[in-house]
Amino acid sequence: MNEGRHLGEDKDIEPAERIRTLFHRLHLDHKLRAADVLQINEHSLQSHESCAEEELIQTFIQKLLMMDYRARYIHVRDPSEQDHTESDSSEDLFDIFNEMSFSNKRTSQSDLIHPMDVQMAVFYCADGFLKQLMVTKLSQCQYALPLLVPDPFTRQIEFPLWTFRQINKSWWIRNTNNEIIRQTQPIYKTQTPMVFFFRFGSVSSSKSQLMNSLINEKHNTFFHRKCTHSSRTRVLMDGVVEIAWFCPSGSYDDKFTDCVAFCNLHGDAGDHEKQLQILTQMSSVNVVLLPRLDRNDRSMIKLQELYKDSKTLICLFSEDDSTIIETRKGKYKIGLKDRNQSDVSEELRRAINASVSERLSTFRLEDVSKHSDIRVDEEDDDDCRRGRAAAQQMVSLLEKKDLTKVKESFLPHQGKLWHQWSQKNRELHRPRGDETEMEISRNKTEMRKIRQQQHTFDISDFMKRFLKQMYTGREIIFFIKWLRILLDEYTSADLSALHHKYDEKWSTVLKLKENHDKPEQLKAEQTELERISEDLQAAPFGLEHIVREIGQIYESCSSVKKNKKDLQMVFSSLPSLAAEMMISGFPLELMDGDAAHVPVIWISAVLDQLIHKLGDQTRVFVLSVLGIQSSGKSTMLNAMFGLQFVMGPGRTTRGAFMQLIRVSDQIKTQIKFDYILVVDTEGLCAPELTGRSTRHHDNELATFVVGLANLTLINIFGENTYEMQDILQIVVQAFMRMKKIRLNPSCVFVHQNVSDITAGQKNMEGRRRLQKTLDAMTKLAAEEEVCDAECFSDVIRFDGQKDVKYFAQLWEGNPPMAPTNPNYCEDIHDLKMTIMTHASKSRGMMLTQLKYHITDLWEALLNEQFLFNFRNSLEISAYRKLETEYSKWSWSLHRAMMETENKLHNKIENGVIHEVEETDLHRELKQTSEEVGKSMSEFFETDRDADILIQWKRTFEIKIKELQENIVRETKKKLNEILQQRELKKKIDAQRRYHENTLYEKSRELKLKLKYKAIDEVTLKKEFDLFWEQWMKKIIRDTPAIRDVDIMRDVRKILSDVYRSVSVDHRRESRDIFTLLNYSEYVVFKNSTRYASRRVKEMFGIHPPENEAQIRSLVSDVDHQSDKMIQSFNISKMGYNISYIYQLIDYIKARLKQHEEGQVKYVFKNEFFMDLVLSVCKRANKMITDQHRLFREANDPVIYVEKKREEYYSIFLKYCH
């Protein structure tokens, strides 16, 4: 076949008419919009290797959006195929004449639509955004991209520069030290050698096939005649120039050692002089295919010019069989006739390599636009041009600025103050047990001050321009896209350098750790590594940070309830801007990736605007994705829905983002919602995020996105679920604790990059093993939380048979030249159908419900201070065991000190001792302290979870030591205060005569002063009060005050210190256990092997009356015994001691354990212990307070003297009369 001829083409039909016929056959009578093809419709839910001719366009687009390179190989079903199949089923006799002649009626190859005509037809009919998306996806498929495109009717040449703007290429090269260096650049900026292939006349060899052998012999980068479903006619490709890049992997067998561009002019170059002129001028190497040299051929004039030019020229002769000959420097001749293509390819590669290695000239894509007589899409579209100009104005403000300081300078509202406010908000939701209302109020005041400070920040010129453009510009989408492109370009080089510095420094630290002989250098290098890590966190600067700044401007204005002086619009209009962006298809940051906080005020306001714009009945199905960093989450979402979430090494998502995908009207009969809300999240277990509590953050983020979604995709790289399984345990246990939030989560597990994809039995075993693991961890969590869940699906809906997916590896071959694996694309489609099956059974949620759900869920997470610091439920179980032991150790020390205190108090009463020293108390406590130390050592060494517990050993040793020091200090203080008070009372009594004499002197002075006139009562009273006030001041100064007690504060302190695992939320809002009508919510039924309340409740129905009676009797007895215990403390004589509360709590815990181990069919939930302790202590509060008041009255010298006031006044009156 001759590449130059459109075989089968009717010469009588005008080209324009053939193009119109093609468009008619493809049903392309309208503009194709990106917004339309990205919505969920019938076509997006289908995946066919063949389709009817009228479905070609939609099938091609959907496959391309999924990055499936088979989009070029769609088989068109012949309408007669169905008839033929039906004839087979008849009972006619087999007839060779009929059946063979039937084939003549089938579509001839010349009638088939060429695959490249389908691609180019879509390209011509697409709007600017779809063109860009399409070319980006073609690049991901490792296909050649349209570089110069003649208009099908006017033949005006267009350079579609806009379509290249989102493409980045990565490759690896070896430097002079033989180190492999990674390069990532926007392709339109990349400077590379360029090899230009073209032909003169008709040649028998395929130019495109030959080019493929140079770039990737396993993949058809350029479509050629031998590709599947190629046809004899080709309507739209003549004159089109395509471009592709070879990107080396850094290995020794790379065909080229650096990135090289390859351009391919389709059709006879003699017919396309403008394309030939541009490309030969910009190329480093020109490769021409021709049958033979012919001086009479007009094309030979151009060939002669190229031969004389200094650039390399390689002539490939289809009618010559000679091997490579260098006729002069840089000029080669290679024959093609009857030769092995791999030999030709190798000769061609060597010739090209010899030329491009000299780097005499380089090609840059953007420079094509400098040529005259071609149309540049960016310049021709007014909206695109204005959008670029506005974006360039903004980015020009960032020039020559340190990238790590840019956010601080230009986006101040999201900086330190916002981070401080977020931290204060966490503290407010997680108060210490002994934190008073005054301290909480002070925290709220500080938060308001932070908002006021935030409000005083000036809005930068950068932000002012952005807001002005968003409110006044017509080309909003172009502007936003341009801004993203230019910001990526602005940050990419610096970010790449930072990542390289981090990798190098990390390698240095690892080497120093292995040597152990340079500790000072290691410390210095680790400090530098942390600094680079901080720079890596500060450096990213994108559209999400700009929108985040708007959110913080809004929240600060909303908090102080007034507009900013330099805000050119009403602050309440800002959420509308973000809502419009979401409707236009842009993601919105849901969780700030730097502050690890959800800006609830801002998000709620944006959702209110979405409700206003889309209608209050709008429903969404929330789909989230969760996985370890770089496990392919964003890639999966992009392939599934044609999205463009950030992806690729060094370009990971931070925080969580939500994006709306519209559901078309045609399938709303199958599903009951209007949009899918996709939530993409930061990768878990990120190694470079030092300085953050990554475990806490990961667990919190995971719980948030799983709890938020109707369905969560749990993305796992390979088959090892270990890391995700730990995080899921925390998620499950958190859900068990968040009882106030109505949750209905479900999940699908996706195992990425599983090589043996066909091993059905192996996958079945994997599913069974995963189900078993999930159920086991759920039971462990249920036991810890005393919850009635028996299996994982009781907490998060999950079907082990249907909801575990195994994905083929992403690439077909080795990156960077490997295309997406078609099996991966099939797996994507299968997962998409599973999602839609889940969705069809769900009503999703209304936007109003979503708004409140986000708020409630985030509030619940802020209240959860305990779980998120742990790796898994096993760690939590071990820690709770440690808590129980710690309560015993601490009670041992308190009890021993109480005994010492009582003994010393008696000695004080008897006047035996006059001062208490800390050394005395430590001596008294020594034996108990040693016993506690021994018990601790045994516990940490011999417990079956010793390998888990060891991480907390040092912490609890310090904790016990601090407790002991505190007990000794407080006891010394208390006893010495009692001594001081007793001495002062004695002194007051001993000075009675002195004070009487003082009063006598006062009376004499008064009489002299008034010259023995009658003294009225008012004057006497005034004089006495003056004397009394001075005396009392002296006593108060010399007297250590006996403090008032706050029993409930001490109770909360002990519960938060000793029982850290107790929910903050519950401590804050406990119920009075004595007033409850029944206790059914507090118990879980048990059987011989595990908790299984569900089955028992089905048997018993409501809580059995005998159980109610047992519990009520227990509560009553605990209350009665607690009263007796408090009376035995003799507080009126000894004074209040926090150890009494320790003893009371220890007693209640022991009674509950004793009750559960008895003949009962249930165990108590943790909430029962909490509410019983708080209820008993609230009741005992008055008794303890009253007794302490009696102690104070008996021991406080101020009160003692105050009681004698009237007596002294009488003495004064007697002296005065």
Side-chain angles (χ1 to χ4, degrees):
M1 170 188 160
N2 291 338
E3 192 178 74
R5 293 179 53 215
H6 293 186
L7 298 178
E9 151 188 320
D10 190 337
K11 295 291 182 184
D12 296 330
I13 302 176
E14 286 292 320
E17 185 58 36
R18 283 188 283 110
I19 293 166
R20 277 190 282 271
T21 301
L22 171 68
F23 281 28
H24 177 71
R25 287 174 66 182
L26 293 172
H27 293 258
L28 280 174
D29 53 359
H30 59 283
K31 198 76 173 171
L32 296 172
R33 296 171 58 245
D36 294 330
V37 302
L38 288 173
Q39 64 183 348
I40 306 292
N41 54 36
E42 284 183 340
H43 293 290
S44 68
L45 301 180
Q46 295 171 353
S47 178
H48 303 302
E49 299 312 308
S50 63
C51 67
E53 194 171 81
E54 61 269 20
E55 296 172 336
L56 253 177
I57 294 298
Q58 289 297 340
T59 306
F60 170 80
I61 289 172
Q62 292 306 323
K63 279 191 175 295
L64 188 59
L65 291 179
M66 284 203 300
M67 302 185 299
D68 187 345
Y69 69 72
R70 294 173 304 181
R72 278 186 177 172
Y73 306 131
I74 302 164
H75 172 62
V76 179
R77 288 196 299 269
D78 193 319
S80 60
E81 284 182 27
Q82 183 66 31
D83 301 333
H84 184 51
T85 306
E86 287 171 6
S87 71
D88 286 347
S89 63
S90 69
E91 296 181 5
D92 293 345
L93 293 173
F94 292 108
D95 188 331
I96 188 171
F97 300 103
N98 286 336
E99 291 184 7
M100 291 295 178
S101 61
F102 180 85
S103 64
N104 295 333
K105 301 174 188 175
R106 308 289 286 275
T107 306
S108 68
Q109 192 176 1
S110 61
D111 291 333
L112 293 174
I113 296 176
H114 195 283
M116 290 304 292
D117 282 342
V118 175
Q119 176 181 307
M120 293 311 296
V122 172
F123 188 84
Y124 286 127
C125 294
D127 69 3
F129 304 121
L130 181 55
K131 273 185 185 176
Q132 189 181 71
L133 178 60
M134 174 185 174
V135 170
T136 303
K137 296 291 180 179
L138 283 170
S139 175
Q140 289 165 349
C141 290
Q142 296 295 347
Y143 278 144
L145 313 176
L147 176 67
L148 295 177
V149 183
D151 183 280
F153 299 105
T154 66
R155 307 311 291 169
Q156 167 72 45
I157 298 170
E158 180 186 75
F159 169 39
L161 177 56
W162 165 251
T163 67
F164 290 89
R165 291 290 185 181
Q166 288 189 324
I167 300 172
N168 289 290
K169 290 282 184 184
S170 294
W171 64 92
W172 287 260
I173 58 172
R174 289 180 179 271
N175 64 11
T176 51
N177 296 327
N178 207 31
E179 297 170 326
I180 297 178
I181 306 296
R182 185 170 185 271
Q183 305 264 319
T184 299
Q185 293 181 23
I187 203 62
Y188 60 88
K189 282 279 185 193
T190 305
Q191 289 193 311
T192 66
M194 188 265 278
V195 183
F196 175 40
F197 279 74
F198 57 99
R199 66 175 170 83
F200 286 129
S202 297
V203 294
S204 56
S205 300
S206 170
K207 168 168 49 70
S208 298
Q209 192 174 8
L210 186 58
M211 293 180 75
N212 290 341
S213 69
L214 290 171
I215 298 171
N216 185 352
E217 49 199 10
K218 296 179 180 177
H219 182 62
N220 292 315
T221 305
F222 294 93
F223 195 92
H224 58 87
R225 68 186 67 164
K226 293 182 181 178
C227 286
T228 308
H229 305 310
S230 180
S231 68
R232 294 177 181 176
T233 54
R234 196 182 64 190
V235 178
L236 298 175
M237 284 300 289
D238 241 22
V240 172
V241 177
E242 291 186 296
I243 187 168
W245 285 264
F246 172 83
C247 296
S249 63
S251 64
Y252 289 107
D253 57 356
D254 280 333
K255 293 190 174 182
F256 304 95
T257 55
D258 207 342
C259 185
V260 180
F262 288 85
C263 289
N264 182 8
L265 171 58
H266 292 276
D268 189 335
D271 297 334
H272 307 291
E273 292 180 6
K274 188 64 187 177
Q275 292 94 314
L276 184 64
Q277 175 213 327
I278 293 170
L279 273 299
T280 51
Q281 187 178 326
M282 299 187 74
S283 63
S284 307
V285 178
N286 291 307
V287 182
V288 59
L289 275 78
L290 64 167
R292 67 188 67 79
L293 288 174
D294 183 353
R295 288 187 183 275
N296 298 321
D297 191 328
R298 63 184 176 86
S299 302
M300 293 306 108
I301 299 171
K302 181 64 179 176
L303 195 60
Q304 186 70 24
E305 288 175 9
L306 293 173
Y307 196 72
K308 290 177 180 177
D309 190 40
S310 60
K311 288 180 184 176
T312 298
L313 175 67
I314 303 172
C315 297
L316 306 176
F317 293 99
S318 61
E319 302 302 321
D320 193 315
D321 60 2
S322 62
T323 57
I324 186 167
I325 300 169
E326 187 171 12
T327 57
R328 61 174 57 216
K329 183 172 173 55
K331 303 295 183 281
Y332 299 90
K333 169 188 175 184
I334 301 176
L336 300 176
K337 186 176 181 181
D338 300 331
R339 293 197 62 204
N340 184 305
Q341 183 166 302
S342 61
D343 292 341
V344 173
S345 177
E346 179 58 26
E347 290 173 358
L348 190 54
R349 184 191 66 80
R350 284 204 308 270
I352 292 171
N353 250 330
S355 303
V356 299
S357 59
E358 296 175 11
R359 303 280 293 197
L360 296 175
S361 65
T362 56
F363 166 83
R364 196 174 73 138
L365 193 73
E366 268 188 327
D367 293 341
V368 177
S369 62
K370 296 175 182 176
H371 289 269
S372 59
D373 297 333
I374 62 168
R375 175 179 172 269
V376 181
D377 58 352
E378 292 177 357
E379 303 299 331
D380 205 53
D381 187 310
D382 290 342
D383 284 349
C384 183
R385 190 176 67 254
R386 283 194 294 264
R388 180 180 61 187
Q392 283 174 333
Q393 276 187 348
M394 283 188 64
V395 176
S396 67
L397 297 173
L398 307 178
E399 285 176 8
K400 297 180 181 176
K401 299 289 190 298
D402 181 349
L403 187 59
T404 61
K405 302 288 191 295
V406 163
K407 275 191 287 199
E408 190 180 326
S409 304
F410 291 87
L411 311 176
H413 294 79
Q414 63 186 269
K416 289 178 183 176
L417 288 179
W418 161 234
H419 288 225
Q420 287 172 14
W421 189 94
S422 299
Q423 185 57 38
K424 291 282 180 191
N425 194 35
R426 287 182 183 279
E427 291 168 6
L428 191 67
H429 283 80
R430 300 167 184 174
R432 301 186 317 274
D434 59 344
E435 197 165 18
T436 62
E437 288 299 321
M438 188 180 294
E439 287 171 314
I440 292 170
S441 176
R442 192 183 305 127
N443 203 347
K444 288 180 179 177
T445 303
E446 286 176 11
M447 288 172 70
R448 282 194 293 272
K449 283 181 181 175
I450 289 170
R451 284 300 194 195
Q452 286 163 1
Q453 284 179 269
Q454 203 181 16
H455 190 262
T456 62
F457 280 141
D458 292 333
I459 298 174
S460 65
D461 287 342
F462 182 86
M463 286 304 300
K464 284 177 184 174
R465 291 193 185 188
F466 180 82
L467 289 169
K468 182 181 179 183
Q469 185 64 28
M470 292 298 289
Y471 277 98
T472 61
R474 292 192 303 107
E475 55 291 325
I476 299 302
I477 299 179
F478 271 115
F479 164 66
I480 295 172
K481 282 184 172 285
W482 267 114
L483 190 57
R484 288 173 82 170
I485 290 163
L486 295 176
L487 285 175
D488 274 351
E489 182 185 323
Y490 168 72
T491 60
S492 60
D494 286 349
L495 273 174
S496 181
L498 273 173
H499 277 286
H500 183 63
K501 275 174 70 177
Y502 183 88
D503 292 343
E504 283 189 332
K505 193 60 65 179
W506 176 239
S507 299
T508 305
V509 167
L510 286 179
K511 286 175 186 174
L512 287 170
K513 280 183 176 179
E514 289 170 5
N515 293 338
H516 304 292
D517 58 349
K518 297 178 180 176
E520 290 301 317
Q521 188 183 348
L522 174 60
K523 189 176 178 181
E525 294 291 356
Q526 284 176 323
T527 303
E528 180 63 12
L529 184 68
E530 286 175 18
R531 190 195 62 74
I532 298 170
S533 177
E534 288 170 6
D535 285 348
L536 266 176
Q537 292 174 56
F541 188 91
L543 181 65
E544 67 270 25
H545 301 103
I546 296 170
V547 179
R548 185 194 296 171
E549 184 75 358
I550 296 171
Q552 284 311 302
I553 291 169
Y554 175 82
E555 287 207 342
S556 66
C557 291
S558 181
S559 178
V560 302
K561 295 182 172 57
K562 65 178 180 181
N563 224 50
K564 290 175 73 72
K565 62 181 185 298
D566 52 352
L567 185 61
Q568 295 154 340
M569 62 284 301
V570 180
F571 79 88
S572 57
S573 66
L574 295 175
S576 175
L577 182 154
E580 284 293 345
M581 287 178 66
M582 282 194 76
I583 293 168
S584 299
F586 294 99
L588 178 73
E589 187 177 59
L590 175 60
M591 178 187 276
D592 183 329
D594 294 318
H597 210 82
V598 175
V600 172
I601 300 167
W602 166 245
I603 295 296
S604 297
V606 173
L607 289 173
D608 279 335
Q609 285 301 312
L610 276 179
I611 293 163
H612 175 72
K613 293 173 186 292
L614 300 177
D616 58 2
Q617 297 303 305
T618 303
R619 303 190 77 90
V620 294
F621 180 83
V622 183
L623 174 71
S624 66
V625 62
L626 195 66
I628 305 302
Q629 190 186 71
S630 301
S631 60
K633 302 179 303 302
S634 300
T635 304
M636 179 173 69
L637 290 176
N638 292 348
M640 198 180 315
F641 298 113
L643 303 178
Q644 289 177 290
F645 281 119
V646 173
M647 53 184 272
R651 296 170 56 78
T652 51
T653 307
R654 292 286 303 278
F657 290 82
M658 55 183 181
Q659 183 166 352
L660 286 171
I661 301 173
R662 186 169 183 168
V663 174
S664 68
D665 294 336
Q666 63 187 162
I667 62 166
K668 282 185 186 174
T669 53
Q670 303 167 39
I671 51 181
K672 309 298 181 192
F673 45 84
D674 307 285
Y675 291 88
I676 292 179
L677 184 76
V678 177
V679 179
D680 188 23
T681 58
E682 172 179 342
L684 307 176
C685 307
E688 75 275 10
L689 299 184
T690 55
R692 293 170 68 191
S693 176
T694 52
R695 183 185 295 169
H696 185 286
H697 173 66
D698 286 352
N699 289 334
E700 186 175 68
L701 176 65
T703 307
F704 180 64
V705 298
V706 176
L708 179 64
N710 298 108
L711 177 65
T712 301
L713 305 178
I714 310 289
N715 201 51
I716 296 163
F717 194 77
E719 296 177 78
N720 184 4
T721 62
Y722 177 73
E723 286 172 310
M724 278 308 304
Q725 146 192 334
D726 277 350
I727 290 166
L728 278 177
Q729 288 185 50
I730 302 299
V731 172
V732 165
Q733 199 153 340
F735 287 168
M736 290 175 182
R737 289 163 72 91
M738 293 191 295
K739 297 175 177 66
K740 290 184 180 179
I741 309 298
R742 189 176 177 183
L743 297 166
N744 188 28
S746 60
C747 73
V748 171
F749 284 83
V750 181
H751 291 271
Q752 299 264 7
N753 204 46
V754 179
S755 54
D756 191 5
I757 209 71
T758 57
Q761 191 60 44
K762 180 182 173 184
N763 290 350
M764 189 63 74
E765 173 61 21
R767 288 186 175 95
R768 189 195 65 76
R769 202 166 53 242
L770 176 63
Q771 181 84 62
K772 186 178 177 182
T773 302
L774 294 172
D775 289 348
M777 75 181 200
T778 303
K779 284 172 193 170
L780 179 58
E783 288 181 17
E784 282 302 307
E785 299 303 328
V786 196
C787 182
D788 61 1
E790 295 177 24
C791 56
F792 180 73
S793 56
D794 286 344
V795 184
I796 299 174
R797 277 185 293 112
F798 166 73
D799 184 330
Q801 296 301 311
K802 299 176 182 175
D803 294 336
V804 182
K805 304 295 179 185
Y806 292 89
F807 272 34
Q809 57 190 9
L810 174 61
W811 306 115
E812 188 176 69
N814 296 319
M817 290 306 296
T820 310
N821 185 348
N823 291 331
Y824 176 87
C825 301
E826 286 177 10
D827 295 331
I828 285 285
H829 185 264
D830 177 50
L831 176 59
K832 192 173 186 178
M833 296 312 296
T834 299
I835 292 167
M836 297 313 292
T837 301
H838 276 269
S840 65
K841 298 172 185 174
S842 167
R843 287 183 57 78
M845 60 183 93
M846 289 169 65
L847 282 173
T848 313
Q849 294 171 314
L850 175 65
K851 182 182 85 166
Y852 291 119
H853 187 49
I854 289 172
T855 303
D856 292 345
L857 183 59
W858 184 241
E859 286 287 311
L861 289 176
L862 288 177
N863 287 332
E864 182 48 68
Q865 65 173 349
F866 174 69
L867 288 185
F868 296 143
N869 294 309
F870 294 92
R871 180 174 280 110
N872 51 37
S873 295
L874 198 60
E875 273 201 0
I876 295 168
S877 176
Y879 188 87
R880 280 185 168 151
K881 192 166 25 174
L882 177 55
E883 275 188 333
T884 303
E885 292 301 311
Y886 175 72
S887 71
K888 292 177 186 175
W889 301 326
S890 59
W891 170 233
S892 295
L893 292 170
H894 276 286
R895 185 174 56 228
M897 189 51 78
M898 278 174 65
E899 291 169 1
T900 300
E901 186 182 326
N902 288 338
K903 188 165 64 176
L904 293 173
H905 194 277
N906 289 333
K907 289 184 178 182
I908 290 169
E909 289 282 311
N910 297 325
V912 177
I913 58 174
H914 303 288
E915 188 177 7
V916 177
E917 296 288 347
E918 282 191 18
T919 51
D920 301 331
L921 296 175
H922 277 300
R923 187 169 55 250
E924 293 287 341
L925 207 57
K926 185 180 179 186
Q927 185 181 345
T928 306
S929 177
E930 287 173 352
E931 288 170 0
V932 166
K934 185 180 177 185
S935 175
M936 284 181 73
S937 296
E938 286 179 2
F939 175 73
F940 280 110
E941 288 168 12
T942 63
D943 190 89
R944 63 188 174 90
D945 292 324
D947 56 330
I948 297 173
L949 291 164
I950 193 68
Q951 63 184 302
W952 301 302
K953 183 180 180 185
R954 182 64 183 149
T955 304
F956 273 78
E957 285 174 345
I958 293 169
K959 200 172 178 182
I960 281 290
K961 186 179 179 182
E962 287 175 349
L963 175 67
Q964 185 172 325
E965 294 288 341
N966 193 45
I967 290 171
V968 167
R969 194 164 49 250
E970 288 297 315
T971 305
K972 176 198 168 189
K973 184 180 177 186
K974 180 182 176 183
L975 291 173
N976 281 331
E977 283 175 358
I978 291 172
L979 276 166
Q980 201 173 342
Q981 288 153 2
R982 289 175 65 82
E983 288 301 313
L984 195 56
K985 281 167 68 180
K986 284 181 187 177
K987 188 177 177 182
I988 288 165
D989 288 340
Q991 291 179 338
R992 180 183 175 90
R993 188 67 198 161
Y994 167 78
H995 292 308
E996 286 181 5
N997 288 337
T998 304
L999 287 172
Y1000 176 69
E1001 291 299 325
K1002 284 277 180 189
S1003 67
R1004 285 187 63 193
E1005 287 173 14
L1006 193 59
K1007 284 177 182 178
L1008 287 169
K1009 185 179 174 182
L1010 299 174
K1011 302 188 185 308
Y1012 292 95
K1013 291 178 183 177
I1015 305 171
D1016 63 89
E1017 187 75 21
V1018 174
T1019 306
L1020 288 172
K1021 184 82 169 66
K1022 188 177 178 183
E1023 283 296 320
F1024 178 77
D1025 286 347
L1026 190 63
F1027 156 77
W1028 191 260
E1029 185 182 336
Q1030 289 169 349
W1031 189 27
M1032 290 303 291
K1033 277 181 182 176
K1034 186 175 185 304
I1035 292 170
I1036 290 168
R1037 189 180 67 235
D1038 296 341
T1039 306
I1042 299 177
R1043 289 159 299 185
D1044 289 328
V1045 296
D1046 186 341
I1047 307 301
M1048 297 315 296
R1049 179 182 177 183
D1050 286 349
V1051 172
R1052 288 191 295 270
K1053 181 180 185 302
I1054 293 167
L1055 290 174
S1056 67
D1057 183 38
V1058 180
Y1059 302 102
R1060 183 168 157 248
S1061 56
V1062 171
S1063 162
V1064 174
D1065 210 30
H1066 200 80
R1067 287 207 306 268
R1068 199 182 284 146
E1069 300 175 24
S1070 62
R1071 293 184 291 179
D1072 184 357
I1073 211 146
F1074 301 113
T1075 61
L1076 294 179
L1077 298 176
N1078 70 75
Y1079 300 102
S1080 57
E1081 289 184 28
Y1082 282 120
V1083 298
V1084 173
F1085 288 97
K1086 62 184 178 181
N1087 61 20
S1088 58
T1089 56
R1090 63 178 183 269
Y1091 302 131
S1093 68
R1094 186 172 303 149
R1095 286 202 301 275
V1096 181
K1097 279 180 180 173
E1098 286 167 3
M1099 281 166 35
F1100 283 103
I1102 59 167
H1103 198 45
E1106 61 269 24
N1107 292 350
E1108 289 286 347
Q1110 287 171 348
I1111 298 170
R1112 202 167 294 282
S1113 173
L1114 171 68
V1115 168
S1116 178
D1117 191 53
V1118 166
D1119 184 42
H1120 178 66
Q1121 295 300 327
S1122 297
D1123 275 357
K1124 288 175 68 175
M1125 186 183 289
I1126 291 164
Q1127 287 167 8
S1128 73
F1129 293 151
N1130 201 7
I1131 295 171
S1132 60
K1133 180 185 175 185
M1134 300 288 295
Y1136 167 76
N1137 190 319
I1138 195 172
S1139 298
Y1140 302 148
I1141 305 300
Y1142 273 97
Q1143 189 171 344
L1144 198 58
I1145 291 173
D1146 193 63
Y1147 165 73
I1148 294 170
K1149 194 170 184 68
R1151 281 296 305 271
L1152 295 192
K1153 187 176 180 184
Q1154 181 188 8
H1155 185 85
E1156 288 174 338
E1157 289 171 352
Q1159 298 298 311
V1160 294
K1161 299 173 181 176
Y1162 51 84
V1163 291
F1164 293 113
K1165 294 182 182 179
N1166 294 333
E1167 288 86 347
F1168 183 73
F1169 164 68
M1170 287 297 307
D1171 285 351
L1172 185 56
V1173 167
L1174 291 164
S1175 298
V1176 166
C1177 291
K1178 278 176 186 173
R1179 250 189 202 195
N1181 192 5
K1182 186 175 186 306
M1183 186 194 304
I1184 295 171
T1185 306
D1186 288 347
Q1187 289 195 17
H1188 185 71
R1189 192 185 69 249
L1190 293 173
F1191 168 78
R1192 179 178 174 178
E1193 287 173 358
N1195 290 277
D1196 191 338
V1198 176
I1199 296 172
Y1200 176 74
V1201 173
E1202 195 63 52
K1203 283 181 179 177
K1204 296 179 180 290
R1205 182 180 180 124
E1206 289 304 317
E1207 184 184 342
Y1208 277 99
Y1209 186 51
S1210 298
I1211 294 168
F1212 180 62
L1213 287 177
K1214 187 174 76 173
Y1215 286 144
C1216 286
H1217 291 299

